[in-house]
Amino acid sequence: MKTKLEQVLPKDIEARSFELITEELGDRKIDEKYAPIIKRVIHTTADFDYLENLVFSPNVLEYALEAFQKKACIVTDTQMAKAGINKKALKELEIEIYNFIADEDIAESARINGTTRSVACMEKAATLHRPTIFVIGNAPTALIRIYELVQEGKLKPELIIGTPVGFVNVVQSKEMILDLSIPYIIAKGRKGGSNVAAAIVNALLSYVLNG
């Protein structure tokens, strides 16, 4: 027996998707402040586990708004995360976005120091000396180095979005960020990815632009 297809116009697909997500959530409790972010991530992944996996530091939305108002730049650990972030919204807010992974000096630094390129990227980001939002969707080593740089007094991010995916040091790296006195949005556990990180940023950009 074939399932009957919904007749939805292309321009209405996203709105209908969010309606279906709301329907499927049913009576499950969801903090209304964070509902747009959680639903955006569920929309991106079709994974309702993010209702429980996403954790938010106190007043993180206010800190995010303040960061965008002061034109904090965004640093991502992957080109994929950078590519997934809404460029029109960034332009409207005059926010610069960086990804250093392909820079020649990053490859050389990683080789000399015996680290990953992601670690070298975070060290380069620390030399920007400007308000920075870190968006880490893939590399736990990036989160670990951010933690170390904060502890060393070399870095004070405006916000850390941490959603690495995988098995080796993924859970541990996220737990380290939870111990910092830095605003964060973290996807606890093994799940995550660059698409999840970008979805969180896009939800925040929408919050800043539309309230």
Side-chain angles (χ1 to χ4, degrees):
M1 182 178 177
K2 292 183 179 180
T3 303
K4 185 178 179 181
L5 297 175
E6 283 195 56
Q7 300 301 314
V8 183
L9 295 173
K11 65 181 181 65
D12 297 328
I13 289 175
E14 182 174 290
R16 179 56 182 147
S17 295
F18 277 90
E19 288 175 1
L20 292 169
I21 289 168
T22 301
E23 289 173 13
E24 190 159 340
L25 284 170
D27 295 330
R28 281 183 278 185
K29 291 183 180 179
I30 182 169
D31 191 322
E32 288 304 314
K33 294 194 303 293
Y34 306 126
I37 298 173
I38 295 168
K39 289 180 181 180
R40 174 63 62 183
V41 171
I42 292 173
H43 176 259
T44 298
T45 61
D47 188 343
F48 282 82
D49 283 352
Y50 285 102
L51 178 63
E52 305 296 336
N53 293 355
L54 288 179
V55 291
F56 304 84
S57 63
N59 304 312
V60 68
L61 294 181
E62 288 78 3
Y63 284 115
L65 177 60
E66 182 179 336
F68 285 121
Q69 287 175 338
K70 64 173 69 170
K71 311 300 181 188
C73 66
I74 294 173
V75 172
T76 71
D77 65 329
T78 64
Q79 288 286 0
M80 181 179 175
K82 180 182 177 183
I85 294 172
N86 188 320
K87 302 304 183 296
K88 182 179 179 182
L90 291 177
K91 184 176 181 180
E92 187 169 346
L93 291 169
E94 300 178 342
I95 302 297
E96 295 180 296
I97 185 167
Y98 299 99
N99 179 267
F100 303 124
I101 201 74
D103 292 5
E104 289 184 10
D105 59 326
I106 291 298
E108 183 66 6
S109 176
R111 184 186 66 79
I112 291 172
N113 296 313
T115 66
T116 66
R117 290 193 182 197
S118 295
V119 166
C121 287
M122 299 307 106
E123 292 171 346
K124 183 171 182 175
T127 68
L128 293 173
H129 300 300
R130 56 183 294 190
T132 306
I133 297 168
F134 285 89
V135 180
I136 310 303
N138 185 68
T141 55
L143 277 189
I144 293 167
R145 190 60 184 133
I146 290 170
Y147 174 86
E148 293 170 344
L149 288 165
V150 170
Q151 294 292 76
E152 293 165 10
K154 298 176 181 177
L155 188 64
K156 189 177 181 181
E158 299 294 317
L159 171 65
I160 302 170
I161 295 170
T163 66
V165 59
F167 297 90
V168 179
N169 290 330
V170 167
V171 174
Q172 296 90 329
S173 69
K174 295 173 182 178
E175 295 292 336
M176 291 170 74
I177 298 303
L178 298 181
D179 287 336
L180 294 175
S181 298
I182 301 288
Y184 63 74
I185 300 175
I186 297 291
K188 293 183 71 176
R190 294 172 172 172
K191 292 184 178 183
S194 295
N195 59 330
V196 173
I200 292 170
V201 176
N202 287 335
L204 289 174
L205 290 170
S206 179
Y207 168 75
V208 173
L209 288 170
N210 306 313

